[in-house]
Amino acid sequence: MRKAITAQDFDSAGRIGIAAYRVANANERRVLETYLGPNAARRAGIALKP
């Protein structure tokens, strides 16, 4: 993800981040949310439905 961001390939960085979010623990998810935004869980397909 860091390499994709450095290369300004933000689409790839987003896809990598979403894939990583699915398997991340709570601490890692907080870091990923910094890059992906507060809707990261929804984008990863793991958000609770209201």
Side-chain angles (χ1 to χ4, degrees):
M1 187 172 157
R2 195 176 349 201
K3 286 182 183 180
I5 291 170
T6 300
Q8 296 186 356
D9 185 1
F10 300 114
D11 290 331
S12 291
R15 287 192 301 272
I16 293 165
I18 292 302
Y21 192 90
R22 290 181 181 129
V23 297
N25 65 32
N27 291 332
E28 293 165 339
R29 285 183 175 179
R30 279 194 290 274
V31 172
L32 286 167
E33 286 168 356
T34 300
Y35 292 101
L36 300 172
N39 293 320
R42 182 181 55 79
R43 292 174 57 198
I46 58 174
L48 297 175
K49 305 219 179 199

